[in-house]
Amino acid sequence: MKTILRTHAAISLAAALPAWAEGIAFLSNLKGEVSVDANARPILLCELAKGQRLTLARDAQASVMFVATGKEYALKGPGVYLVKDTEVAATSGMPPLTRETAWRASSKVLAQTAQTSAASVRMRSIALPRADAGPRLVFPTQGNVATLQPTFRWRAADAKAQGEFVLLVAGQEKPVHVAKAANGAYRVPAKLLPDTDYVWVVSVGGDEIGTGRFRTLPADALAQIEQRRPKDKADFSDRVLFTLLLQEMGATQEAHESWSRLAEERADLPELSSFAK
């Protein structure tokens, strides 16, 4: 319980800027003992205002990215750093390393992510019902999809059972694709239409598992996502920012799965699991 309260306090403190302050940057990465204005450890993605100071203990690391320019400053402790209008300067310690990026994070999405994390921490002390482990559709079942060839996934009573997969354009009775599929997954061989609502149904042994609905993103949004999709060995902050882009585009399920992968990679950042909720 004490851990929950400490984490909640840190998140509330990190997510809230002074009433007069405007967030101009945010933490795109951190590791080790880091504090902002001598307060409790901040969370990943917390916004920073002009004049705030970051203190890093020995071997601690933090990256600060400016919202307007996408310029990222990598800080390494021990040291004290000051957030200025367009840069981060070292008050003591090693000067920060800089990196130009094409990212332009949405302040609205940053704030929503912090609020989601705080709410998730509050709910940890409440016994939540277990997720339904019975047969059901898994992906995609809500929101937008950031690809024209998604891999449809479902859960059946028999994981290896063969089922009938049916895909329709919403509002039309004639299916656009029908196939037999097993092992709880199927990838349509042809690309779907952009900016289109789809409905899909899976039946196993004559029993319908469920009906899912989703929308493909417009062509320009899909092109932006493919352009910004990070490589396997991309910087951690690039993968975080790409996940935020998915969230901003309304591809919520893909964003949650990306947060979960990042959480597995960085157990030292428990807020990542909160982002995935």
Side-chain angles (χ1 to χ4, degrees):
M1 183 64 180
K2 290 182 179 179
T3 300
I4 294 172
L5 292 175
R6 283 197 299 268
T7 307
H8 184 198
I11 288 175
S12 299
L13 181 61
L17 293 172
W20 49 267
E22 179 182 358
I24 59 173
F26 61 96
L27 281 171
S28 53
N29 196 0
L30 75 160
K31 182 178 291 187
E33 188 178 337
V34 179
S35 64
V36 177
D37 292 340
N39 291 315
R41 177 190 179 277
I43 62 167
L44 185 71
L45 301 180
C46 81
E47 293 187 84
L48 301 169
K50 177 185 175 182
Q52 291 196 287
R53 292 179 182 274
L54 289 84
T55 302
L56 281 68
R58 184 175 298 278
D59 297 326
Q61 299 174 31
S63 295
V64 176
M65 184 176 289
F66 282 83
V67 175
T69 65
K71 192 170 185 178
E72 187 177 54
Y73 290 77
L75 322 178
K76 186 174 181 179
V80 178
Y81 298 87
L82 177 66
V83 178
K84 295 187 174 183
D85 287 300
T86 59
E87 65 176 348
V88 177
T91 301
S92 67
M94 294 178 58
L97 299 176
T98 61
R99 182 172 75 107
E100 301 285 350
T101 80
W103 296 111
R104 300 294 183 271
S106 164
S107 294
K108 181 179 179 181
V109 174
L110 287 169
Q112 288 174 341
T113 303
Q115 291 168 4
T116 299
S117 180
S120 178
V121 170
R122 288 194 297 269
M123 292 299 290
R124 288 178 195 172
S125 60
I126 302 174
L128 298 176
R130 293 184 178 182
D132 182 11
R136 63 184 179 88
L137 303 186
V138 176
F139 177 86
T141 59
Q142 58 181 304
N144 298 329
V145 171
T147 175
L148 295 182
Q149 283 188 284
T151 297
F152 295 85
R153 305 195 307 273
W154 59 91
R155 182 179 296 151
D158 180 355
K160 296 183 179 180
Q162 186 179 69
E164 183 180 55
F165 171 88
V166 180
L167 179 67
L168 309 92
V169 172
Q172 297 184 9
E173 295 183 2
K174 184 178 179 181
V176 296
H177 191 79
V178 177
K180 298 292 185 181
N183 301 314
Y186 182 73
R187 187 170 187 257
V188 176
K191 289 186 177 181
L192 306 182
L193 296 173
D195 204 15
T196 303
D197 286 306
Y198 284 93
V199 175
W200 63 292
V201 183
V202 172
S203 300
V204 176
D207 294 325
E208 184 178 302
I209 290 180
T211 301
R213 186 184 180 108
F214 66 94
R215 184 174 184 84
T216 52
L217 287 169
D220 56 344
L222 290 166
Q224 181 182 352
I225 285 175
E226 288 310 309
Q227 181 182 15
R228 303 301 303 140
R229 191 179 297 277
K231 304 296 183 183
D232 291 339
K233 295 184 179 180
D235 287 349
F236 175 77
S237 57
D238 286 334
R239 287 177 284 135
V240 167
L241 269 292
F242 180 72
T243 306
L244 280 178
L245 177 62
L246 290 174
Q247 200 164 308
E248 184 178 359
M249 294 289 188
T252 54
Q253 284 190 283
E254 286 157 287
H256 289 166
E257 291 179 357
S258 184
W259 286 129
S260 295
R261 290 191 294 271
L262 291 169
E264 291 177 0
E265 176 185 339
R266 292 289 303 276
D268 60 308
L269 295 174
E271 56 266 43
L272 288 170
S273 296
S274 299
F275 298 159
K277 300 299 183 183

